Amino acid sequence: MTNNSIAYATGVPVVLDTDVLVIGGGPAGIAAALASARAGARTALVERYGFLGGNATAGLVGPFMTSYSDDGQTQLVKGVFDELVRRMETFGGAVHPEKVRTGSPYSGFFSKGHDHVTPFDPEAVKLAAAEMMEEAGVRTFMHTFFVDAIVEDGRVNGAILVNKSGLQAVRAKTTVDCSADADVASRAGAELETGRKSDGLTQPMTMFFRVAGVDDEEILKYVEEHPEERDLLFGSLIEEKRASGEWKVNKNHLGIYRTTQAGVWRVNTSRVQGLSGTSAEDLAKAELEGRRQVFELLAFFRKYFPGFRNAVLVDTATQIGVRETRRIVGEYMLTAEDLISGRSFDDVVALYGYPIDIHSPNEVTTEFSKEFHTANIYQLPYRILVPRNTEGLLVAGRCVSATHEALGAIRVMPCAFALGQAAGAAAALAAAQGTEPRGVNVRELQRTLLAQDVVLPEGVV
């Protein structure tokens, strides 16, 4: 008889006992760790790469989508996000969103949801985020993978990690899951959902890439002469070539974004559907397929698209961009109706204004759902960060408690920064007060966030 499992037991040294442990160094994790440390907590951050930024760096995803209200009048995400952007701006690594308006090449010429985006250089994120951690006194575990949650008496008390030094344990009073995939919550046994309710399918993945040698002026001239294509760039040509079989990607337009460097553009056009972002095997398949699409797309661009005749590939992302995997079932589940109505919450910890943007899990359609028209400004409650039946744990980023439809709006990076900052501040308060995260005094949390330059509704405290 074949034994399909191996029993493996070993002592794991506890290398740190801390107040707050943040798993994942993407936008949510950066904000969570800094908010926690600045609220007075001893804080540690775990990141699998040798640099921070997550999708902003390893995924080459950019620009940062809007941090403003839908009408473009009010900046809603400040705090850690704004500080990071302004720091990058000082050495030419970003353009502050106040300077970028809708329909510009920085926004990919889109209008809806793309007012006040933030162009940035991924290398600038790596430096600025690392310096901010160092200055705040955050203990960072780089090149380190999360292995398992330390669960004792039904409570998360830290995590088992692995890196070149071997297996390590970090104990923490409060743990914040910023893994994007609810990895800690999953290992801790929290209740989870995946994908859309009808079939569990998730939004597709995209292999971002950058090209150089682009004629910026030629692209601008084309867009000026074809204003009808601003929200579906080259859509008619793509439709024609898809019918003939020459355009093979299951997407109906070109997504390109001018970067901070002349002649260099990001491309958000590849599309990989039907694979899971929580399966190592599927991720490998997705990245291979994504890179195949990159070379097919670049050849197509050179042949057909104005400005791309002499384009050359700069790089593909270290990892494929994943839009959706697991989400926790929290104390409250955010719905599309909450975003449409602009519902007020007593426990509001962040404001946002990005529309519901759902890339079809299995069809060509993308973009902003015509079924949903979100409020100019909507509120995000603290309870979506708190797993319903798991103690000692908070969750931030795209794995918070939200429906598939609501996630379509709040999955983007500025919102991840905002939710991460709320989770980090709450984790610090919970650790200091010896309470569970669900028992944090929300008014005190809101005061802490306001002191950290977070935008909340007037009169909230």
Side-chain angles (χ1 to χ4, degrees):
M1 177 179 288
T2 302
N3 187 346
N4 290 321
S5 65
I6 296 174
Y8 177 74
T10 185
V12 179
V14 177
V15 296
L16 183 67
D17 200 317
T18 192
D19 294 327
V20 174
L21 174 63
V22 179
I23 304 294
I30 290 169
L34 291 171
S36 170
R38 290 169 178 177
R42 296 172 302 150
T43 304
L45 173 66
V46 175
E47 168 53 44
R48 63 173 168 158
Y49 293 115
F51 52 85
L52 302 173
N55 265 336
T57 50
L60 280 185
V61 178
F64 291 131
M65 284 293 97
T66 185
S67 51
Y68 277 64
S69 55
D70 187 57
D71 65 6
Q73 298 302 305
T74 307
Q75 187 174 352
L76 302 176
V77 183
K78 291 187 177 180
V80 168
F81 169 77
D82 198 66
E83 180 184 343
L84 177 73
V85 171
R86 291 188 184 278
R87 178 180 288 238
M88 291 191 292
E89 196 176 27
T90 63
F91 52 87
V95 178
H96 193 274
E98 66 191 3
K99 302 171 185 174
V100 181
R101 295 312 308 264
T102 186
S104 77
Y106 287 136
S107 66
F109 306 106
F110 291 100
S111 53
K112 184 67 173 173
H114 286 64
D115 198 4
H116 295 293
V117 301
T118 305
F120 66 90
D121 185 335
E123 296 304 315
V125 176
K126 293 176 185 179
L127 175 60
E131 287 181 339
M132 290 165 71
M133 292 297 160
E134 186 177 57
E135 291 162 11
V138 175
R139 168 77 180 272
T140 56
F141 288 78
M142 308 301 288
H143 301 285
T144 299
F145 285 82
F146 165 78
V147 175
D148 208 350
I150 299 173
V151 181
E152 298 165 319
D153 297 324
R155 187 184 195 279
V156 177
N157 289 324
I160 305 295
L161 313 172
V162 68
N163 54 35
K164 287 290 187 181
S165 300
L167 287 169
Q168 299 178 328
V170 173
R171 288 193 169 277
K173 296 174 182 176
T174 312
T175 301
V176 186
D177 184 347
C178 296
S179 66
D181 301 311
D183 289 338
V184 183
S186 177
R187 296 297 299 168
E191 189 177 353
L192 304 169
E193 289 188 355
T194 301
R196 60 189 181 190
K197 191 167 284 292
S198 60
D199 54 18
L201 293 179
T202 58
Q203 293 193 58
M205 305 182 218
T206 292
M207 176 59 71
F208 268 73
F209 62 104
R210 291 186 291 187
V211 293
V214 177
D215 187 329
D216 298 344
E217 295 307 314
E218 195 172 347
I219 294 177
L220 295 175
K221 181 174 181 291
Y222 179 88
V223 173
E224 287 173 7
E225 293 174 352
H226 298 81
E228 75 282 358
E229 290 195 10
R230 278 187 174 270
D231 285 329
L232 280 177
L233 190 59
F234 299 122
S236 56
L237 175 63
I238 287 171
E239 195 60 36
E240 174 192 333
K241 297 303 178 182
R242 193 148 61 86
S244 68
E246 197 169 353
W247 177 270
K248 299 175 183 178
V249 177
N250 207 21
K251 190 168 183 176
N252 60 358
H253 72 278
L254 179 64
I256 54 170
Y257 298 85
R258 189 175 184 174
T259 72
T260 55
Q261 298 169 303
V264 179
W265 293 66
R266 295 181 194 259
V267 184
N268 173 8
T269 302
S270 75
R271 174 171 281 188
V272 181
Q273 295 169 312
L275 295 175
S276 170
T278 56
S279 162
E281 183 178 2
D282 276 7
L283 283 170
K285 289 178 181 177
E287 286 167 351
L288 176 57
E289 172 59 22
R291 291 192 172 97
R292 281 188 180 127
Q293 289 184 17
V294 166
F295 281 87
E296 291 172 359
L297 287 166
L298 187 54
F300 189 97
F301 291 0
R302 289 172 179 151
K303 185 174 182 180
Y304 290 112
F305 292 153
F308 282 87
R309 188 178 305 106
N310 299 312
V312 294
L313 180 66
V314 175
D315 53 3
T316 60
T318 300
Q319 67 174 67
I320 197 160
V322 180
R323 291 182 174 87
E324 179 183 19
T325 54
R326 298 179 288 231
R327 309 182 305 275
I328 65 164
V329 176
E331 290 281 281
Y332 181 81
M333 183 167 287
L334 194 73
T335 68
E337 181 54 40
D338 294 329
L339 310 187
I340 293 165
S341 66
R343 177 181 174 181
S344 295
F345 294 96
D346 288 341
D347 61 338
V348 57
V349 289
L351 301 177
Y352 208 48
Y354 189 67
I356 293 176
D357 174 13
I358 300 176
H359 296 237
S360 175
N362 58 345
E363 297 175 355
V364 174
T365 56
T366 313
E367 311 354 305
F368 307 106
S369 174
K370 293 181 173 59
E371 298 175 56
F372 310 112
H373 300 278
T374 54
N376 182 46
I377 299 173
Y378 49 81
Q379 300 186 6
L380 304 177
Y382 174 62
R383 286 166 292 161
I384 67 173
L385 312 180
V386 184
R388 188 159 66 184
N389 298 315
T390 306
E391 303 295 356
L393 182 67
L394 285 164
V395 175
R398 62 171 168 79
C399 49
V400 298
S401 183
T403 64
H404 169 78
E405 293 76 19
L407 183 73
I410 66 169
R411 62 182 173 80
V412 293
M413 291 186 286
C415 192
F417 275 100
L419 293 173
Q421 185 150 10
L429 290 176
Q433 297 167 359
T435 64
E436 294 299 337
R438 75 183 73 254
V440 163
N441 183 302
V442 172
R443 295 293 170 266
E444 187 173 356
L445 171 58
Q446 291 166 334
R447 284 192 289 271
T448 300
L449 292 172
L450 288 170
Q452 293 188 0
D453 197 32
V454 169
V455 180
L456 295 177
E458 287 188 22
V460 72
V461 291

